[in-house]
Amino acid sequence: MRHLCAGDAALAARYPAPCCSPPVARARESLSCPRMSRHPTQAPDRDPDLDDADDLAGAENEDDLLLVPEESEEIEPAAGTVALGRAAILRALKHAPSGPGVYRMIGSDGSVLYVGKAKSIKRRIVAYTRPTGLTARIMRMVAGTAEMEFVSTGTETEALLLEANLIKQLRPRFNVLLRDDKSFPYILITRDHDAPQITKHRGARNRPGDYYGPFASVWAVNRTINALQKAFLVRSCSDSFYEARTRPCLLFQIKRCAGPCTGEVNHTDYAEYVREAREFLSGKSRVVKEQLAREMEQAAEELEFERAAVLRDRLAALSAVQGTQGINPRGVEEADVFAIHQEGGATCVQVFFFRTGQNWGNHALYPRADRSLEPGEVLESFLAQFYEDKPCPRLVLLSHDIAERELLEEALATRAGHRVEIATPRRGEKRELVEHALQNAREALGRKLAESASQARLLDELARAFSLPASPKRIEVYDNSHIMGTNAVGGMIVAGPEGFAKSQYRKFNIKSADLTPGDDYGMMREVLTRRFSRLLREAPRAAALPAPSPPGGEGWGEGSSPQAGGASPLTDPLRGPPLPDGEREEGDALAAEAANTAWPDLVLIDGGPGQLKATAETLAALGIRDVPLVGVAKGPDRDAGRETFHVEGREPFRLEARDPVLYFIQRLRDEAHRFAIGSHRARRKKDITQAGLQEIPGIGPTRKRALLRHFGTLKAIERASLADLEGVPGVNAATARAVYDFFHARSG
């Protein structure tokens, strides 16, 4: 047995510690102690002071002991990998902790197959050694297991928190995975400036201020901020833009800002606007509206009609905000509502956010889960991951009951710092909210399945059009963008059965100094060399494995297979029942399949025969000759619909003008073009912003950021006086003088 410590280089590389809450941090502290151990497939040297009874002392009842064969009864595992997996688990069992903690099942290639938590680790993993009664999913998981790792925790609550943390970090393929796991946006009203700013915020809450949300989408946040600007005239500009103003901006002219930057409103009146905005977002909308209505009537009575008109417009803006929030429950002040629906092997979880008695929108998520799991099981694992990096409200409403409700309540309360109630309402307004969310989940999943079916048909037609051996699961599209060779960027987008996989997009800043400016072929060679060289290192293609041999050592006869009526390879009682739907249970084959998912089934190049030839030569130089390549050349006058396709070994051809496959390829090419151009523009903008500063001796990245943050633009820095430059935080007198002399010497 080898003990792993937090300082172990291999462990640190495989499991980098993310930011986590105090309970998770306490659980993670156990990584630095000998309670965490890793158990290889090869049996360790046996300690003569231990016997079998000591090894199994953690089993909690006699039934558990009966399920574990004594060492004298162990037999040499047959060729089946279920037997090998059980043998590895049995060896790990002898050293498993008896208390609460987290266990990991590791494959032969070092990948994490499954992360689980248990009140007693030893008792939990005993269940994996049973010869019968396991589902096909568990059998596949056991078959791929080569070793196990354990982390002991103080309580089961800490184990649950650490489990969710590790699942999100390691993404094991047998766990329920929250795939669309982006953070939700919030509205922030800052507290670190004399004139507070209203802005959208996503990510860690590092900036002082009041956060309101979450909102279901950035669109919902932008819409709300626009309406709030009309209602409360709070500025939305950055601090650097604010400091650089010498006259009011356009937002002041169109009555969306009070203009505190140039003194159009004094700080006392502006603070009142900010207070009203905070009260409205905190749920006191009725109080704010009544106050504005009284002020409007008073202004009208005093014949201040212009002021009365401004107040009237602010009231109308507040009504618009409330009118676009959908259902606003009267009996639910703060809650998240989750509803789950399963159909066709897919799962949709619909979440609604209610804060301060207002509906801040809804969002559909599609976790990856085995179709054998019940809705409650999926929802339970989903919630632990969902709130791993998000604040939890005091009330969580669910459409289905979950088994470990009290444990999850305790874990979420520990993380949130306040009491959390999880409920499955049966009647009343809360049940109506859940039913509404469930209806949305059904409709969203129906649309998703329809889109997936349409996408699957397109991929099948694409395979036929380009004579591919099977429908592609991963399509990679490459394009370059530059202006006369400057700021050259290569872009790669990825698409598959579920549409565009934006998390897989990659950009490549062209680095080669030997390229002739504008050499598109050379740029493509560099991009492909970097991409596929890394792929060869990180996910080398595994060779196809021969069919497993049945017990007795004889190979399969011609035309014989486990699915074709040959002798079953699962007659060994340690192997369990045969898997349905022809699913293979060979651990090595599963690992090979997982590695090959990183490889594209089709590569599209935006270009003609020259680009295709450069691509083929680049891949051939790396020893890659089995990746299908297609060059997409634009038609005459770059007309969409007249593209010519170039494939090695075939004459150039076109598709019918109204062929759905042609439209699909155009979408792929246009998305690659958009991504590459966007990356190029971002790089060019950065260079333009920093041009000049990077030429000043003694100005590094930190001082560049400080100057740009303070003044906003390069032009403002150039116009700044020496005293203004010396007032920038982090810029001393010598540096300020260097910047001042640099620009004035140039202008002179």
Side-chain angles (χ1 to χ4, degrees):
M1 179 177 69
R2 293 187 292 117
H3 294 292
L4 295 184
C5 301
D8 186 287
L11 177 65
R14 185 180 296 173
Y15 309 123
C19 297
C20 50
S21 58
V24 178
R26 289 197 299 272
R28 193 172 289 281
E29 287 175 3
S30 61
L31 291 171
S32 61
C33 73
R35 289 188 296 170
M36 176 183 176
S37 54
R38 180 169 179 154
H39 305 274
T41 54
Q42 309 227 333
D45 294 335
R46 187 166 175 76
D47 188 336
D49 295 330
L50 296 177
D51 56 23
D52 291 338
D54 293 330
D55 290 341
L56 300 177
E60 299 188 7
N61 56 49
E62 294 182 0
D63 292 337
D64 290 338
L65 293 174
L66 293 175
L67 289 173
V68 184
E70 298 180 3
E71 187 160 339
S72 60
E73 296 177 351
E74 290 185 4
I75 59 175
E76 183 69 21
T81 55
V82 173
L84 290 174
R86 282 207 181 94
I89 295 173
L90 286 171
R91 285 191 288 271
L93 177 63
K94 298 174 184 178
H95 308 283
S98 301
V102 174
Y103 60 93
R104 291 188 281 265
M105 306 176 81
I106 313 295
S108 58
D109 61 348
S111 63
V112 180
L113 304 178
Y114 182 76
V115 174
K117 63 105 178 86
K119 186 176 181 180
S120 170
I121 294 180
K122 184 181 287 284
R123 184 176 182 182
R124 174 61 57 84
I125 66 174
V126 161
Y128 294 119
T129 65
R130 293 171 181 165
T132 59
L134 301 180
T135 64
R137 168 177 165 268
I138 301 300
M139 292 292 290
R140 294 197 306 273
M141 191 167 69
V142 171
T145 301
E147 51 188 322
M148 297 191 72
E149 293 179 353
F150 308 118
V151 180
S152 295
T153 59
T155 65
E156 191 178 6
T157 301
E158 291 183 4
L160 176 61
L161 294 173
L162 181 57
E163 177 197 35
N165 186 294
L166 292 177
I167 289 174
K168 292 188 68 175
Q169 176 187 345
L170 303 174
R171 307 192 68 79
R173 69 175 181 266
F174 285 103
N175 283 95
V176 175
L177 297 182
L178 178 56
R179 291 185 288 188
D180 184 13
D181 190 29
K182 62 183 179 183
S183 60
F184 289 95
Y186 285 74
I187 287 179
L188 166 64
I189 298 182
T190 62
R191 288 188 180 272
D192 57 356
H193 197 279
D194 292 337
Q197 169 197 10
I198 186 170
T199 183
K200 62 176 178 287
H201 178 86
R202 192 196 293 271
R205 301 185 179 189
N206 298 325
R207 190 173 182 185
D210 299 307
Y211 295 83
Y212 304 94
F215 288 78
S217 65
V218 173
W219 175 82
V221 172
N222 291 336
R223 179 198 64 199
T224 304
I225 288 178
N226 286 337
L228 291 177
Q229 284 181 280
K230 296 177 184 178
F232 301 110
L233 308 179
V234 180
R235 73 177 180 96
S236 60
C237 58
S238 65
D239 290 349
S240 59
F241 185 86
Y242 177 94
E243 300 293 343
R245 297 305 302 174
T246 57
R247 59 181 181 178
C249 67
L250 180 62
L251 289 177
F252 173 80
Q253 306 295 339
I254 63 176
K255 297 181 174 57
R256 290 195 180 184
C257 178
C261 55
T262 56
E264 307 302 323
V265 61
N266 61 52
H267 285 293
T268 301
D269 291 341
Y270 185 76
E272 183 65 18
Y273 294 152
V274 174
R275 183 192 63 79
E276 292 175 350
R278 286 195 174 106
E279 287 188 350
F280 180 83
L281 289 171
S282 298
K284 301 177 182 178
S285 56
R286 182 178 300 177
V287 175
V288 174
K289 292 181 70 174
E290 290 175 353
Q291 180 180 349
L292 290 178
R294 286 195 301 269
E295 292 179 5
M296 181 182 66
E297 292 173 359
Q298 181 180 355
E301 291 175 358
E302 296 174 356
L303 304 181
E304 296 180 4
F305 298 116
E306 291 184 3
R307 180 166 171 264
V310 171
L311 293 168
R312 178 201 61 199
D313 294 341
R314 292 177 62 190
L315 275 171
L318 291 183
S319 300
V321 174
Q322 293 181 311
T324 56
Q325 288 171 359
I327 54 173
N328 293 318
R330 286 171 290 183
V332 177
E333 182 72 13
E334 179 185 70
D336 286 346
V337 180
F338 294 88
I340 183 171
H341 180 65
Q342 295 179 315
E343 182 181 345
T347 301
C348 175
V349 176
Q350 188 81 220
V351 56
F352 278 77
F353 303 110
F354 295 95
R355 297 294 186 273
T356 66
Q358 302 174 19
N359 176 15
W360 291 125
N362 61 296
H363 191 75
L365 300 114
Y366 304 92
R368 193 187 78 189
D370 192 272
R371 64 177 63 202
S372 65
L373 296 176
E374 295 296 324
E377 297 178 90
V378 177
L379 198 55
E380 183 175 341
S381 181
F382 174 91
L383 287 173
Q385 296 178 58
F386 184 83
Y387 287 117
E388 196 274 330
D389 58 354
K390 301 177 183 68
C392 182
R394 299 181 183 275
L395 178 62
V396 177
L397 302 178
L398 306 180
S399 61
H400 294 72
D401 290 320
I402 59 176
E404 297 184 329
R405 179 179 58 82
E406 294 181 356
L407 177 62
L408 188 56
E409 284 179 340
E410 182 181 352
L412 295 180
T414 302
R415 178 177 287 147
H418 56 72
R419 182 176 179 272
V420 175
E421 178 188 358
I422 299 177
T424 306
R426 304 299 180 190
R427 63 182 66 86
E429 184 184 31
K430 294 178 181 177
R431 184 60 194 176
E432 292 176 2
L433 294 178
V434 171
E435 290 291 346
H436 181 69
L438 191 57
Q439 178 184 355
N440 279 267
R442 294 192 192 100
E443 294 173 355
L445 186 57
R447 291 191 296 268
K448 183 77 171 179
L449 292 175
E451 292 171 2
S452 298
S454 176
Q455 186 81 354
R457 288 193 295 270
L458 280 174
L459 293 175
D460 289 340
E461 293 295 330
L462 183 69
R464 279 191 284 271
F466 296 128
S467 303
L468 302 179
S471 179
K473 304 297 183 193
R474 180 184 177 95
I475 303 172
E476 293 183 358
V477 190
Y478 293 86
D479 193 11
N480 297 325
S481 181
H482 60 92
I483 294 179
M484 300 297 292
T486 61
N487 299 304
V489 173
M492 177 192 81
I493 70 154
V494 179
E498 297 183 358
F500 293 116
K502 295 193 175 182
S503 63
Q504 302 293 317
Y505 287 16
R506 295 293 181 268
K507 68 175 181 179
F508 303 84
N509 291 329
I510 305 300
K511 301 177 179 179
S512 178
D514 300 331
L515 287 179
T516 303
D519 182 2
D520 285 333
Y521 297 166
M523 295 177 192
M524 187 60 68
R525 290 190 185 97
E526 178 179 336
V527 168
L528 293 170
T529 299
R530 288 164 57 185
R531 160 64 180 159
F532 284 91
S533 295
R534 182 170 183 175
L535 200 55
L536 287 169
R537 291 193 308 269
E538 296 182 354
R541 284 202 171 186
L545 297 177
S549 298
E554 295 182 2
W556 297 109
E558 184 176 353
S560 178
S561 71
Q563 291 78 36
S568 172
L570 301 177
T571 54
D572 189 328
L574 282 178
R575 298 187 184 185
L579 300 179
D581 301 328
E583 293 176 296
R584 296 176 302 174
E585 62 169 348
E586 293 79 22
D588 291 338
L590 288 173
E593 181 180 350
N596 287 340
T597 56
W599 283 78
D601 301 308
L602 175 65
V603 170
L604 296 179
I605 304 297
D606 185 16
Q611 287 279 25
L612 181 65
K613 181 180 179 182
T615 300
E617 291 174 349
T618 302
L619 297 188
L622 296 172
I624 302 171
R625 294 180 175 82
D626 58 344
V627 174
L629 307 174
V630 175
V632 183
K634 299 178 178 65
D637 301 323
R638 306 176 73 87
D639 287 344
R642 304 180 66 186
E643 289 83 358
T644 302
F645 299 97
H646 300 267
V647 181
E648 286 187 301
R650 292 177 59 178
E651 291 294 325
F653 63 95
R654 293 180 181 174
L655 296 175
E656 293 293 332
R658 299 194 178 186
D659 192 330
V661 175
L662 177 61
Y663 294 144
F664 179 56
I665 294 174
Q666 289 172 356
R667 283 174 52 209
L668 295 177
R669 182 199 60 200
D670 293 345
E671 174 68 2
H673 196 53
R674 179 201 65 79
F675 180 67
I677 288 179
S679 301
H680 163 73
R681 286 175 177 168
R683 187 180 181 191
R684 187 180 65 192
K685 181 179 179 181
K686 182 178 179 181
D687 279 1
I688 292 173
T689 301
Q690 295 184 348
L693 292 180
Q694 61 192 10
E695 302 175 19
I696 305 175
I699 300 295
T702 301
R703 286 173 175 166
K704 289 177 188 175
R705 285 194 297 270
L707 288 165
L708 290 170
R709 188 180 297 115
H710 185 82
F711 291 103
T713 64
L714 183 65
K715 197 70 175 176
I717 298 174
E718 187 175 354
R719 292 198 306 260
S721 66
L722 181 60
D724 291 337
L725 292 170
E726 291 176 347
V728 177
V731 176
N732 56 31
T735 303
R737 169 60 67 180
V739 174
Y740 184 82
D741 290 346
F742 175 80
F743 285 114
H744 286 74
R746 289 177 60 186
S747 60

